Amino acid sequence: MVPAPTIAGALVRVEGVEFADLERALRVRLPSLALAQQGDELPARDGLRAFVDLRRTSPTQVQVALILADGRAYFRVVDTADEPPARPVAAALALLIAAIEDDSVAPDQRDVPVPPAIAEPPPQPVQSDVPKDTFLKKTCPEVQPCPRPPSPPAPPPSPRLELGLVRYDGASFGLDRPLAGVRGAMFGLGLDLRWRRGAIAAVEVRAMVAPVDRHTLARVRVAAGAGFGVRVRTFELPIVGLVGVEWWGLPGGEVSVVRASSRPLIGGGLRLSPGFWLRLPAVAVRAGARAELWASGEPGPNGPRKPLLARPGEAALAAVGGVELNLGIEVGVWFDPGRRRRTGPKGQVR
């Protein structure tokens, strides 16, 4: 078995990597390898010549293409993590060159076009007697472009439509007088639809309870709205405008309503829900905070008004509606409704 020839020299083209740092790192690992940057002359030595193309494709990855003068090509992707790229790239090159010389790694491609700078020199022409009236036409070989390494696979496209079931809990605070302050505890369920470009449609049901004297004030709100969500990697900030109707009541007869009956309240507001995503194979989980500014009132001939609860002849005990700030946390589970249609029986995308 004929031993694999050694690699004597390498012509290096760099993009996003310092050649001087790479050369120092390679000298430590391969002291016998002659190096030259593209545009310089590679020293003549016995053995194979190589062309090395280094391209930094991201802050943590460098694509490596190594092409030998005999047409063999090898492609690698080196993860540099948070350190300078010269050392991990030099270590990967040293391992790849050693494996090539040991004939323990197969080339990724064969018979690729060889850059002229590392091509073997053509044999010297044989001298012959040529008549003086004969002209020789010389043709230059066509320069072949250096092949680029294969591009990494593109990430799967995001779903066209996502459906989220959202649960949230928190507290409500009144901002207007009288009776500004804590209004009660709230909990609710929502259903959100999000399109790929960020548009959001939402519908939700919220319940709130608060103690009033020896009774419990109960409020139930149904709201719907639309908005837009901004995503940056795993972070998202949805902004949704809502309008809704709220029913409320106070069981028992010892507390009465001053200047109002228990008619439904009409209101609207703005919801912000900053949070983070965790994508799983089948679903995505999102957790974050919820802040909602809401204004509501009982419709009347002079405009909406805020119902007040009080014992007859006494100061108000509680308020319903007005301007309120609702704060809490939310957790949602998101699905891709079109996943089954796009996936075959063996998990292959159709």
Side-chain angles (χ1 to χ4, degrees):
M1 182 177 180
V2 180
T6 60
I7 299 175
L11 188 65
V12 182
R13 178 169 67 185
V14 293
E15 182 180 314
V17 181
E18 291 294 335
F19 177 77
D21 297 340
L22 177 69
E23 184 180 20
R24 284 194 297 269
L26 277 174
R27 293 291 180 204
V28 177
R29 294 165 174 81
L30 298 172
S32 61
L33 181 68
L35 289 176
Q37 194 171 4
Q38 186 182 26
D40 298 337
E41 187 69 24
L42 189 63
R45 290 189 181 181
D46 294 335
L48 277 175
R49 290 185 170 195
F51 179 81
V52 179
D53 187 9
L54 304 177
R55 298 175 187 269
R56 189 160 191 176
T57 57
S58 72
T60 60
Q61 283 190 338
V62 175
Q63 285 189 345
V64 178
L66 188 147
I67 303 172
L68 298 178
D70 59 6
R72 289 179 290 166
Y74 304 82
F75 304 111
R76 298 292 186 270
V77 177
V78 180
D79 291 324
T80 61
D82 296 329
E83 61 178 319
R87 291 180 59 188
V89 170
L93 274 175
L95 291 175
L96 179 58
I97 290 174
I100 294 172
E101 293 179 343
D102 292 341
D103 199 18
S104 60
V105 60
D108 297 308
Q109 292 183 18
R110 295 183 184 272
D111 300 324
V112 300
V114 177
I118 65 167
E120 298 293 338
Q124 296 295 329
V126 178
Q127 297 292 337
S128 60
D129 296 331
V130 180
K132 294 182 179 180
D133 58 350
T134 303
F135 296 89
L136 297 179
K137 295 182 179 180
K138 296 183 178 180
T139 59
C140 296
E142 182 181 356
V143 178
Q144 298 291 336
C146 178
R148 289 181 174 270
S151 301
S158 57
R160 180 181 177 185
L161 181 67
E162 293 174 284
L163 177 65
L165 182 62
V166 183
R167 163 70 189 271
Y168 62 93
D169 300 273
S172 180
F173 303 87
L175 300 183
D176 56 343
R177 296 182 179 277
L179 299 175
V182 180
R183 291 282 175 86
M186 65 174 187
F187 50 92
L189 288 175
L191 191 65
D192 288 0
L193 284 175
R194 187 189 193 280
W195 282 263
R196 182 182 298 173
R197 295 186 180 274
I200 296 175
V203 60
E204 61 181 40
V205 178
R206 187 204 72 176
M208 191 176 77
V209 294
V212 177
D213 198 14
R214 294 185 300 273
H215 305 271
T216 299
L217 172 64
R219 301 168 57 180
V220 177
R221 187 190 77 188
V222 176
F228 190 84
V230 178
R231 282 185 184 174
V232 180
R233 295 184 180 177
T234 60
F235 175 78
E236 182 185 39
L237 176 60
I239 303 174
V240 178
L242 296 165
V243 293
V245 179
E246 184 172 8
W247 293 266
W248 62 278
L250 186 68
E254 296 186 10
V255 177
S256 62
V257 179
V258 177
R259 292 175 26 192
S261 62
S262 57
R263 290 181 297 186
L265 308 183
I266 305 298
L270 188 66
R271 182 188 85 189
L272 282 75
S273 307
F276 292 89
W277 289 83
L278 175 62
R279 294 201 174 274
L280 302 176
V283 299
V285 179
R286 183 183 179 279
R290 171 180 287 232
E292 179 187 84
L293 184 63
W294 187 265
S296 63
E298 184 181 84
N302 299 323
R305 55 185 177 181
K306 177 174 62 176
L308 298 177
L309 303 179
R311 290 178 178 276
E314 297 183 5
L317 298 173
V320 183
V323 181
E324 297 172 314
L325 178 64
N326 305 317
L327 301 176
I329 58 175
E330 68 175 34
V331 177
V333 179
W334 289 78
F335 307 88
D336 176 7
R339 180 181 177 87
R340 291 187 176 181
R341 292 195 299 269
R342 296 196 304 268
T343 305
K346 295 184 177 180
Q348 298 178 352
V349 177
R350 293 177 178 173

